[in-house]
Amino acid sequence: MLEVTVVRHGQSVADVEDRFEGRADFDLTPLGVSQAEKVAEWIKANEDYHPQVILSSPLKRAERTARIIGAAVGIEPLFDCALLEWDNGELAGKPKSEGVKYPLTVCGPVPHWGPYGTESGIDLRARAQKFWTRLLLDYNAEDAKRRVCLVSHGRFIGTLFRSFLDLPMNTDIGLRTSDTGVHLWRVGRGKRTIVFSNSQAHLGPPAAR
């Protein structure tokens, strides 16, 4: 059985500066660090979620989140470019007010091609699908429970979710992932189970966040 804990990074500088992020390499804000510390402590306090492996995007906001989690549970993260956020080409790092200049991609990837240097929707899904297949080959086990923690980005996590459930590319089913939102997916006994989605219990009541 394989249990996959999927964590989005904490708040980044691009979030507070209202910029398009994608492959732009922004670090966490002080609030983002606090969010990462809280999710790390939550994982540490819940033995059922302790990972044996942490795999992370190498972008700063994910890397720092992964290292904070890793320090809490005593694991050195491994970094995998397959977990990078969608490549948003010329949009990366630009103020969102400039989105009018990029009308084809401001809401996400175009399925069949990549205007303004972006990664197409098909290429993004193929990257997620290849990663998911490799994850199953490397870590799924019939005779033991394996736990893997993935630290990545909102759009990539949503695409990986579609791969996990074998959903078609053109589905209108989406997945919301907030700052340090946690998902738990389980694979085993011929089933794929969503245990929970986008939990932010570690941040306390909404009014306190």
Side-chain angles (χ1 to χ4, degrees), residues 89-180:
E90 294 178 23
L91 280 167
K94 286 185 167 56
K96 289 189 176 177
S97 59
E98 294 188 22
V100 293
K101 300 176 183 177
Y102 306 91
L104 294 176
T105 57
V106 70
C107 293
V110 177
H112 301 287
W113 62 300
Y116 319 117
T118 61
E119 183 178 23
S120 73
I122 289 175
D123 288 341
L124 175 61
R125 177 59 183 267
R127 176 159 62 88
Q129 197 76 42
K130 288 177 183 177
F131 174 82
W132 180 253
T133 300
R134 177 159 51 88
L135 190 73
L136 292 178
L137 289 172
D138 289 348
Y139 297 107
N140 195 18
E142 292 291 332
D143 57 348
K145 181 182 285 188
R146 304 294 303 276
R147 296 193 186 100
V148 178
C149 177
L150 307 179
V151 182
S152 189
H153 311 267
R155 193 174 296 280
F156 184 80
I157 290 171
T159 306
L160 190 65
F161 172 75
R162 293 184 177 93
S163 295
F164 166 65
L165 290 182
D166 284 332
L167 295 173
M169 268 197 59
N170 61 351
T171 182
D172 59 0
I173 297 171
L175 182 72
R176 178 176 175 79
T177 306
S178 305
D179 292 337
T180 62

